Amino acid sequence: MTGDHQTLALLLFIGFVAVTLAITTWVSRRRQGSAEEFYAGGRLFSPMENGFAVSGDYVSAASFLGVTGLIALYGYDGLLYVVGFLVAWLVVLFLVAELVRNCGRFTLADVVAARMSERPVRIAAGTSSVTVSVLYLVAQMVGAGSLVALLLGRTSGTAQTWAVIAVGALMVTYVSLGGMRATTWIQIVKAVLLLGGTVALTVLVLVRFHGDVNRLLVTAAARSGHGDAFLAPGLKYGGSWTARLDFISLGLALVLGTAGLPHILSRFYTVPTARAARRSAVWSIGLIGAFYLMAIVLGFGAAAVVGPEALKRSNAAGNTAMPLLALDLGGGVGSTGGTVLFAVVAAVAFATILAVVAGITLASSASVAHDLYASLRRPRTRAHGEVTVARTAAVGIGVVAIALGLLARDLNVAFLVGLAFAVAASANLPVLVYSLFWRAFTTRGAVWAVYGGLVPALVLVLLSPVVSGSPGSLFPDIDLQYFPLQNPGIVSIPLGFLAGWLGTITSDEVADEAGYAETEVRSLTGAGAV
């Protein structure tokens, strides 16, 4: 970027950071000693507020930058990502939102442990939740380092290092001082900025083509170099059987994984009732759906206005499609309008990263304190002591995320996001579904369901072409490729459900009929819910 771009982008960054730190400072003055206040913000948020916060928590930098780039490069096949991310919310709405709010208190393990032996179930569910959170968090941290360094005109390793450290320090500050209340308001501010910026860019794209969507699509196809194939399926996921299976596997992970993401499930505990949880899910679907509909326009707009060749020269994965589109729509390089729009997109992307990492850090620290630590010392643990552990865990997780982000800063991080969804769908979703809907489900079944999905998902990725055995892998000089697919979901998700079933039918434990009846009544009616 030129000096003007860098200065304006930096000012917008500083402005957003100042606002969010002010929110955190204001919230930290309130009493944060209780677990309910720290983990759930006192359960005082309205459905609309929580809906905005959920959308701010869900739409990460991968969506804001990556989805637009995928559509610009691959046309219809990139559009399929939008479908997966959005359809996933129907699963959340109809399957888990209200039931989780009624049965749980702060984490996924609360739901599962309601009628099981608490210690092994909490350890298993807590381990899985922390694993998913860290994978998701590392992807955001790597993206933060690359994005901030690039937008500030410093692409050296030192600049990326300091960018990762700065983002990590901010997220630890938000969570450890402000808890869920500060994190929620940061996510609300981010959602407003995101939707506002996306609406502005979408209007400018439509104005450029005089509101003629057909002309937009035809121009995008013409500039893509693929002709009509750009608007038809198969450009990215066509051809070989492995490519087709990879698409099915990725689709399963995206659609089913959202219902098992710890930082999404924890948001339904911040509202006072199950009805509010359901209404907040409806708000989320509306806001997220609106964003992805506009992302379609922006993706094809980037292909038509900027052109895939220019996008690939800037970033081979297309992650700079949104900033380059904003620069062109504003008037081009050197223009005031282009500078302003480019800087606004940079600031929104930065806000996106900060909001998402704060939500993930809070969810993972809650799993460490409320599930792993508290399950071992529950008789002697006070609520205030648990919150202290959660704050300490936030710092520890932040340090781990910074370290892993620095190690992986030169690697492609797209697979990390897909892996997080795949692990969540493989380990968290089976145990959640069985706990809510299977009367005979036992403790062994719960533990086997978690590890039966978690371990295969991680092992299959290590043995996939993503990690080794191909020129574009993480370690091209090593060949450990024994699994042909890049996403393990098509194998690991069924294994998670199968392991839970096998663990239950081979268990000598007698299912807690009374516990299931109580859980069923509570989940469906809300009677006895916290």
Side-chain angles (χ1 to χ4, degrees):
M1 291 190 301
T2 64
D4 291 339
H5 287 94
Q6 293 175 16
T7 302
L8 186 53
L10 185 59
L11 288 175
L12 287 170
F13 288 164
I14 293 173
F16 178 77
V17 172
V19 169
T20 53
L21 285 176
I23 292 172
T24 303
T25 303
W26 173 68
V27 171
S28 65
R29 294 178 180 177
R30 299 176 60 91
R31 182 174 177 269
Q32 296 285 326
S34 70
E36 185 175 50
E37 179 68 30
F38 186 80
Y39 295 144
R43 309 187 197 279
L44 299 176
F45 291 100
S46 69
M48 184 181 72
E49 291 171 342
N50 195 48
F52 270 89
V54 170
S55 62
D57 204 3
Y58 184 69
V59 180
S60 66
S63 294
F64 183 64
L65 300 175
V67 169
T68 307
L70 287 170
I71 295 173
L73 294 180
Y74 301 107
Y76 183 93
D77 279 12
L79 178 65
L80 296 174
Y81 277 79
V82 173
V83 177
F85 282 130
L86 185 55
V87 170
W89 274 95
L90 298 179
V91 179
V92 175
L93 175 62
F94 292 113
L95 192 65
V96 302
E98 184 175 356
L99 305 183
V100 165
R101 173 61 187 84
N102 283 338
C103 292
R105 192 173 175 217
F106 302 126
T107 65
L108 166 68
D110 287 337
V111 179
V112 182
R115 60 188 183 95
M116 308 286 180
S117 178
E118 284 205 25
R119 183 173 178 177
V121 168
R122 285 190 179 276
I123 291 174
T127 300
S128 175
S129 295
V130 171
T131 302
V132 172
S133 298
V134 169
L135 289 173
Y136 212 113
L137 193 57
V138 170
Q140 300 301 317
M141 297 296 289
V142 174
S146 301
L147 177 66
V148 175
L150 178 64
L151 292 176
L152 295 181
R154 302 288 189 271
T155 57
S156 65
T158 303
Q160 293 183 29
T161 297
W162 283 110
V164 170
I165 293 174
V167 172
L170 284 171
M171 82 179 178
V172 169
T173 302
Y174 294 149
V175 174
S176 60
L177 292 182
M180 178 59 83
R181 192 179 295 272
T183 299
T184 298
W185 283 110
I186 291 168
Q187 290 165 346
I188 291 173
V189 171
K190 172 255 177 156
V192 172
L193 290 175
L194 176 71
L195 291 171
T198 308
V199 167
L201 290 178
T202 302
V203 170
L204 290 175
V205 168
L206 293 176
V207 168
R208 173 72 65 92
F209 291 91
H210 306 288
D212 190 343
V213 177
N214 184 64
R215 181 183 170 192
L216 167 63
L217 296 176
V218 170
T219 306
R223 294 203 62 181
S224 69
H226 300 287
D228 292 340
F230 188 73
L231 303 178
L235 196 59
K236 181 175 174 62
Y237 291 107
S240 66
W241 67 269
T242 54
R244 296 174 186 274
L245 285 179
D246 247 332
F247 171 71
I248 297 173
S249 187
L250 178 63
L252 286 173
L254 295 180
V255 171
L256 300 178
T258 301
L261 292 176
H263 64 290
I264 297 299
L265 293 177
S266 65
R267 289 239 49 95
F268 295 116
Y269 298 124
T270 64
V271 291
T273 64
R275 182 171 181 267
R278 187 172 62 252
R279 290 176 60 195
S280 66
V282 174
W283 271 98
S284 303
I285 291 173
L287 295 170
I288 294 169
F291 167 78
Y292 281 121
L293 285 175
M294 291 184 287
I296 296 172
V297 176
L298 296 178
F300 285 110
V305 175
V306 181
E309 292 303 320
L311 295 178
K312 291 178 182 179
R313 285 196 300 269
S314 175
N315 183 276
N319 291 328
T320 56
M322 189 81 84
L324 291 179
L325 176 63
L327 184 62
D328 195 291
L329 291 174
V333 178
S335 66
T336 302
T339 299
V340 171
L341 277 181
F342 189 93
V344 166
V345 169
V348 171
F350 189 61
T352 297
I353 292 170
L354 287 180
V356 173
V357 297
I360 299 170
T361 304
L362 181 60
S364 54
S365 64
S367 293
V368 171
H370 187 64
D371 297 329
L372 299 179
Y373 175 79
S375 65
L376 300 177
R377 300 188 60 189
R378 186 163 299 278
R380 294 174 290 168
T381 301
R382 296 178 295 109
H384 180 72
E386 186 177 309
V387 171
T388 302
V389 173
R391 288 195 172 102
T392 305
V395 176
I397 290 168
V399 172
V400 171
I402 290 172
L404 293 176
L406 294 177
L407 289 175
R409 66 189 179 191
D410 296 325
L411 304 179
N412 188 319
V413 299
F415 87 98
L416 286 175
V417 175
L419 175 60
F421 274 82
V423 173
S426 303
N428 291 348
L429 185 62
V431 72
L432 181 61
V433 170
Y434 280 147
S435 297
L436 291 173
F437 301 107
W438 191 9
R439 183 182 301 273
F441 198 45
T442 63
T443 300
R444 177 188 287 183
V447 174
W448 283 26
V450 173
Y451 293 126
L454 176 64
V455 174
L458 296 177
V459 170
L460 290 177
V461 168
L462 291 175
L463 301 179
S464 73
V466 171
V467 174
S468 66
S470 62
S473 62
L474 301 181
F475 304 104
D477 297 330
I478 303 174
D479 190 0
L480 298 175
Q481 182 187 150
Y482 298 101
F483 182 66
L485 305 182
Q486 295 187 7
N487 192 288
I490 196 170
V491 175
S492 58
I493 294 173
L495 284 179
F497 281 98
L498 178 61
W501 176 75
L502 286 175
T504 298
I505 65 172
T506 60
S507 174
D508 295 330
E509 177 185 352
V510 178
D512 185 358
E513 296 285 344
Y516 177 79
E518 180 183 351
T519 300
E520 186 177 38
V521 171
R522 179 183 297 181
S523 66
L524 295 176
T525 67
V530 178

